[in-house]
Amino acid sequence: MTTTEQATPASSAPPLPGDDVRAALDSAIATVQAGEQRWAGLGIAERGALLGRVHAAVASQSEQWVAAAARAKNLDPESPLVGEEYLSGPYCTMSGLLTLQHSLAAVAAGKSPVQSIKFGTGPGGRVVVPVLPTSAYEFLLLNGFTADVWMKPGITGTEVRARAGLGALTPKDTAGVGLVLGAGNISSIAPLDVLYELVAHNRVVILKLNPTMNELLPVYEAAFAPLIELGVLAIVAGAGDVGSYLANHPGISHVHITGSAVTHDVIVWGPGPDGAARRAAGTPVLDKPITSELGGVSPIIVVPGEWSTADLKFQAQHVATQRLHNGGYNCVAGQVVILSSEWPQREAFVSELRKALEAAPERVPWYPGSGDRVAAAGTAYAKADHLGKGGGRLLIDARNGVDAAAIQTTEYFSPVLGIVDVPGTGQAFVDAAVDHANTALVGTLGANVLVSPATLKELGSGFDEALARLEYGTIAVNAWTAVGFLTAGAPWGAFPGHTIDDVQSGIGIVHNAFLLQDTERTIVRGPFRPFPRSFVGGELSLSPKPPWFVSARSARRTGQLLTRFAAKPSWAKLPGIFVSAFRA
């Protein structure tokens, strides 16, 4: 998710790029327009082989990719935090490429990409498609973590299998040139969006980088050289004027943006008062369809239970990670912790959370405008705790009569975390927290729920029924929704149903490497406790502290080893990964 770097000024019409820039952009569009016919002429098996060459190219560039991302974010190259760049960059991209190759191979053989997956049943009779783990490798590497795709109500298992494949089922029916306005925070977002445009929608692509990612331009050009050389992808850089020119170019048939709702609305309706008037009249300036992933305010629902001191500390670190990963600049960063006002351990948990935020590794606030957003939050909440070196992390306690509107309706996209509460225990709390998240918080991209195994057992089927009422595109239970982002087969996007005049967290999905149609949401589940404490309560998970935790000391090495594994999976590589992970 980005803020406004792709946008034009809100008070005036966007300037046009200079003649030489416009000529270069026109040439890039013409190149991929010619490439559309080559894409249409490639059989499914040939497309799979092409993605194999892209996978090899990404693997060859993985170290350069991470180094460039670290430079862009002012990270010490030896910092454990560099592990974030491995996992959310080349590792994630290569995992997506491997699963897409599987899906294309299945379609080429006349089979469904989910032919061998055994479906389950969810609340309301929904078909449930397990997408993690789908191999013995995943079972071991992410032991204790699962991800299930809940299909829309009324869709049958037969329909799910038959429709899986999307654009790969009709490869000759191409759909013109898609413009991808790339994200400025996570380096795999734009590449995965490009791949989804090509494979799922049969659109060739112009990728316009966010300026924060310009450092990665040469890496992307090398990593995706097979697509560029075929003429089905062109990558361009530039500011908002370039994005506006491309979005409104007659050669572009579709726009996909990862950014903010503000940027989306400027593109769709235009800037300033004229844009507001067009929105009110329902007359957009953009004359083509647009899909989007726009972030929001993500809740972390903490279900009351009887937690040990170790549980309180671990889950506080978990919440701190959900806020501080990537410096706090994530579309799905947890922003509002929802506690029970009747939980006897609530203040003990808040104390541990304060310690976790204070102790998390320091890093430069690298994303543009971060300081201003933190300052705005501090102005709105004068009694906020300023934590970390320099006080750049805010913990806002919006309980006890404090007006929570700002923290619940403003995506701060910075290290700002709020706490609110609702009454109740057990099922009454869960239901109240779900209602609060659905009605008081802006956005529907991701929601997180922390609940002990004992409490989960007590809740029974009522817990999953509550999840069915929680209207978010990805819901993580005892995990962070970013695990859904990292899972290649999981769809990623807002809860379905938004429109351009009320876009919330966006329209449409991406990733979805099994190419499923009619998806509703993804449910991720993880262990409440790390190994070996996970065996308390019978979880039987071998997962140590996850490498994406900001407090994981071995994260850099673990991320590097996982990336090398994704480049060339091998049983021989697993012991080294496990040893590094258990040093976290």
Side-chain angles (χ1 to χ4, degrees), residues 382-403:
K383 295 183 178 181
D385 289 337
H386 291 257
L387 304 171
K389 186 177 180 180
R393 299 166 183 166
L394 265 61
L395 179 62
I396 297 167
D397 193 340
R399 300 176 293 168
N400 302 316
V402 176
D403 185 357

Side-chain angles (χ1 to χ4, degrees), residues 79-171:
S79 168
L81 295 174
V82 173
E84 297 177 358
E85 302 311 315
Y86 279 105
L87 292 180
S88 65
Y91 169 82
C92 191
T93 303
M94 286 189 286
S95 295
L97 281 160
L98 288 172
T99 306
L100 283 172
Q101 289 176 71
H102 155 84
S103 294
L104 292 181
V107 173
K111 300 178 181 179
S112 170
V114 290
Q115 188 78 33
S116 61
I117 295 178
K118 183 180 179 180
F119 298 165
T121 303
R126 291 171 175 82
V127 172
V128 172
V129 181
V131 295
L132 179 73
T134 57
S135 69
Y137 286 144
E138 289 182 339
F139 178 80
L140 290 172
L141 288 172
L142 289 167
N143 190 262
F145 288 88
T146 64
D148 297 322
V149 180
W150 288 10
M151 309 304 292
K152 292 178 180 177
I155 303 299
T156 68
T158 299
E159 290 171 328
V160 172
R161 293 193 202 279
R163 296 174 182 176
L166 300 179
L169 299 176
T170 56

